Amino acid sequence: MSAPEHLVFITGRMAKARLEKVASTLPTERFAWSIADAGVKVAALMTEEIIRRRVTIPEGATRIVLPGRCRANPEALAEHFGLPVERGPDEVVDLPAYLGLAGRKVDLSRHDLRIFSEIVDASKMTPDQILAKGLDLARRGADVIDLGGLPDTEFPHLEECVRLLKGAGLKVSVDSFSLDELTRGAKAGADYLLSLNEETLDLAFETDAVPILVPVRPDDLPSLDRAIERMEKAGRPYMADPILEPIHFGFVESITRYHETRKRWPGIEMMMGTGNLTELTEADSLGVTTLLVGMCSELSIRNVLIVQVSNHTRRTVEEHDAARRVMFAAKAESALPKGYGRQLLALHDKRPFVQTPEEIAAQAAEVRDPNYRIAVAEDGIHAFNRDVHTIGTDAMAFFPDLDVAADGAHAFYLGGELTKAETAWRLGKRYVQDEPLRWGVAADEEVEDTTAFKKAGHTKHSGPGGAERAARDATPVEADAGKPEVVESGEAGSIETEATGDRGVRIVCGKLVPAGES
């Protein structure tokens, strides 16, 4: 049996006790560990230079893990220490999952589901508009751009649109009830035709475009079987779509038809059009999408036709893309679709509160400056600095306790942060001061430089005594820092905790900024 990996967790004094508690739960047969306390109070304030000068790596270490919010460059530190250095999770409680102790190494890079994204009113759009729309849908995750024709609406520029999209490197399908439009689209180079049934199937033998076969009527599954039989005998490529119907208009029966078709034809390519459920059900579409993609995964349906028209389905491409990756990973591991990240969790988080009220109280007791910290625990929102620690659940009710009546900028900042914290507490979401709430795939996440501190905004504490506070807080970060310490596994609780004051990199309304900025 190989020796356990020796991890070194670099941290600051305030996080050390929590880190020891979590590290002590790591399985000893897999991990030995050391905690290297750089001597600064807040781990996020550690700079690359501080770590290089103040941290000694114990002998036998194999890997170094930085706090997720530490702004040091892992590659530069790896070169300095001669060991792999990586940025760990933002929250200590997520460390076991980060180390793969949740039972799997999450890989969401793969999928086997092709997304057809329909432009439903293509006939009313200009070719340039269609090209721009197609490129945007592809950027979001669509694999095929579907040009939807409208009944009794001419589409004279269909061929031009197909050629434009193909010229941009996109796959194209034409979706129409008009046999003439399907024929024109195929001749222009469309890759797929939606949809043909046994009465219009001759077109499939006049073009190289792959047809999607549907029943003559949704409840006429035998007609779909006959179309499939004809394509099978001819040895031509195709897909079969038994047609998903809306709730109360045949939804359950349509699901059984997909199941029945897969039983009758185990190896064929199939498609499911999810829009009849996502568009025609006024519910958050992420959960609906996830369920339908899960059905596709079970039935080995590898193509979906999606529609993104209603405002509540504005992220349906991204939702299908995220869901297909989770389902592929779970199916490959014969696992439930759990523990594969937070992309499919928009309103609620599985583990929203990363600190207990007691842990926040201990943190508040160590604060020595006037800048407010905000945290959320199960008992509510905590706002605290060196003078105040108040708890509540109504953001506006905090104002009388915070002593910012004469400081408009700070009051504005705190109002925004506390409102965000209230939203997180009420929904059961994670809250991190100065960071946006995370909405999974329901909203784009900000991309930031994880090696640089945030720039200061216009929220500096500017009330009475603000200048004196700024001068006092501008002392070097290590001016009264504690002695660097290393604790090994098995020695938890042996380190003395001495007060430090990390002020060279300042906290301005929660933001970590260089001391000279305001």
Side-chain angles (χ1 to χ4, degrees):
M1 185 175 180
S2 60
E5 184 178 11
H6 187 159
L7 306 177
V8 177
F9 304 111
I10 299 179
T11 192
R13 185 176 64 81
M14 291 186 70
K16 185 172 59 183
R18 294 176 61 218
L19 182 54
E20 287 177 2
K21 183 178 179 180
V22 172
S24 65
T25 68
L26 300 179
T28 56
E29 68 275 10
R30 288 187 57 182
F31 300 108
W33 53 269
S34 303
I35 294 177
D37 174 8
V40 298
K41 183 189 295 182
V42 181
L45 294 177
M46 292 188 301
T47 64
E48 205 171 292
E49 180 61 23
I50 287 174
I51 293 172
R52 281 198 298 263
R53 288 193 293 103
R54 295 179 61 82
V55 171
T56 300
I57 301 301
E59 189 174 344
T62 57
R63 182 165 41 137
I64 299 170
V65 181
L66 301 175
R69 296 192 182 96
C70 174
R71 294 318 205 195
N73 186 332
E75 293 181 2
L77 289 174
E79 184 176 349
H80 172 77
F81 289 116
L83 288 173
V85 179
E86 58 199 56
R87 196 180 307 280
D90 287 350
E91 304 295 346
V92 172
V93 295
D94 294 327
L95 189 58
Y98 171 80
L99 294 173
L101 298 176
R104 62 177 65 94
K105 184 78 172 178
V106 175
D107 177 11
L108 299 180
S109 64
R110 300 180 299 158
H111 65 81
D112 62 354
L113 186 69
R114 185 186 290 116
I115 296 175
F116 288 65
S117 186
E118 182 179 1
I119 303 176
V120 297
D121 52 354
S123 58
K124 295 183 177 180
M125 300 170 64
T126 68
D128 286 343
Q129 288 173 332
I130 288 173
L131 177 60
K133 180 71 172 178
L135 291 171
D136 180 61
L137 292 170
R139 176 188 63 81
R140 294 169 181 266
D143 302 296
V144 182
I145 306 305
D146 183 63
L147 298 177
L150 295 172
D152 303 319
T153 303
E154 293 185 358
F155 199 164
H157 50 301
L158 171 61
E159 291 89 344
E160 181 182 359
C161 293
V162 171
R163 287 190 288 266
L164 268 178
L165 293 170
K166 294 286 292 181
L170 302 175
K171 294 287 186 180
V172 182
S173 61
V174 174
D175 188 349
S176 177
F177 291 111
S178 167
L179 200 59
D180 174 65
E181 287 183 348
L182 292 175
T183 303
R184 289 167 51 208
K187 289 181 178 179
D191 301 281
Y192 304 92
L193 298 179
L194 285 80
S195 301
L196 299 180
N197 58 43
E198 66 172 343
E199 296 176 356
T200 58
L201 193 55
D202 287 347
L203 178 58
F205 298 90
E206 300 171 8
T207 174
D208 291 330
V210 175
I212 284 74
L213 309 182
V214 297
V216 174
R217 298 185 316 275
D219 61 351
D220 185 5
L221 199 56
S223 69
L224 178 60
D225 287 330
R226 290 189 292 270
I228 292 173
E229 287 172 354
R230 186 176 174 190
M231 295 300 290
E232 285 287 316
K233 287 178 181 178
R236 307 268 304 198
Y238 67 94
M239 301 178 199
D241 183 356
I243 304 298
L244 185 72
E245 295 188 275
I247 293 172
H248 297 149
F249 290 86
F251 168 64
V252 173
E253 285 296 325
S254 66
I255 291 295
T256 63
R257 287 196 293 271
Y258 280 93
H259 183 248
E260 184 63 28
T261 299
R262 175 52 76 205
K263 284 204 311 184
R264 294 186 195 182
W265 306 97
I268 69 171
E269 287 291 332
M270 293 180 65
M271 171 181 278
M272 177 184 287
T274 60
N276 273 350
L277 216 63
T278 57
E279 286 284 326
L280 302 180
T281 307
E282 287 193 1
D284 290 328
S285 58
L286 180 54
V288 177
T289 294
T290 300
L291 180 62
L292 292 177
V293 173
M295 290 181 180
C296 289
S297 181
E298 280 204 4
L299 294 172
S300 297
I301 297 171
R302 302 197 302 170
N303 303 273
V304 288
L305 173 64
I306 72 171
V307 183
Q308 187 167 287
V309 176
S310 301
N311 285 329
H312 77 284
T313 63
R314 68 183 65 194
R315 299 281 294 188
T316 194
V317 178
E318 291 89 341
E319 291 169 4
H320 281 79
D321 181 48
R324 65 180 172 176
R325 297 173 188 277
V326 169
M327 296 303 169
F328 182 90
K331 186 175 183 178
E333 297 176 351
S334 299
L336 295 170
K338 296 179 63 176
Y340 290 92
R342 299 164 63 184
Q343 288 297 90
L344 300 179
L345 292 171
L347 290 181
H348 315 293
D349 276 325
K350 186 175 180 180
R351 195 170 185 180
F353 307 122
V354 299
Q355 290 179 279
T356 66
E358 293 76 20
E359 288 171 336
I360 296 174
Q363 179 184 349
E366 296 186 12
V367 172
R368 299 293 182 266
D369 62 68
N371 293 299
Y372 283 100
R373 281 74 165 173
I374 301 171
V376 175
E378 199 159 357
D379 64 338
I381 307 157
H382 294 243
F384 55 93
N385 64 7
R386 66 183 179 192
D387 304 312
V388 174
H389 182 184
T390 183
I391 307 169
T393 58
D394 180 352
M396 295 298 104
F398 281 85
F399 182 75
D401 297 325
L402 300 185
D403 191 26
V404 288
D407 187 348
H410 208 64
F412 182 87
Y413 164 80
L414 289 173
E417 280 298 314
L418 288 167
T419 299
K420 186 175 70 179
E422 180 182 342
T423 299
W425 180 78
R426 292 190 182 281
L427 288 177
K429 294 185 67 64
R430 284 197 178 181
Y431 167 84
V432 179
Q433 189 171 359
D434 285 311
E435 300 293 338
L437 295 180
R438 295 178 61 182
W439 301 100
V441 75
D444 289 332
E445 290 193 1
E446 295 181 7
V447 178
E448 63 174 336
D449 181 359
T450 57
T451 66
F453 289 109
K454 295 179 181 293
K455 293 183 178 180
H458 301 288
T459 57
K460 178 180 176 181
H461 197 296
S462 55
E468 291 81 3
R469 276 190 295 273
R472 182 196 65 218
D473 290 346
T475 55
V477 67
E478 298 175 85
D480 56 355
K483 179 182 178 182
E485 302 271 7
V486 175
V487 63
E488 305 284 348
S489 51
E491 299 178 2
S494 64
I495 297 177
E496 295 181 4
T497 57
E498 50 185 303
T500 63
D502 313 321
R503 297 194 182 98
V505 180
R506 300 172 54 227
I507 300 178
V508 179
C509 296
K511 295 185 188 297
L512 307 179
V513 300
E517 295 190 15
S518 60

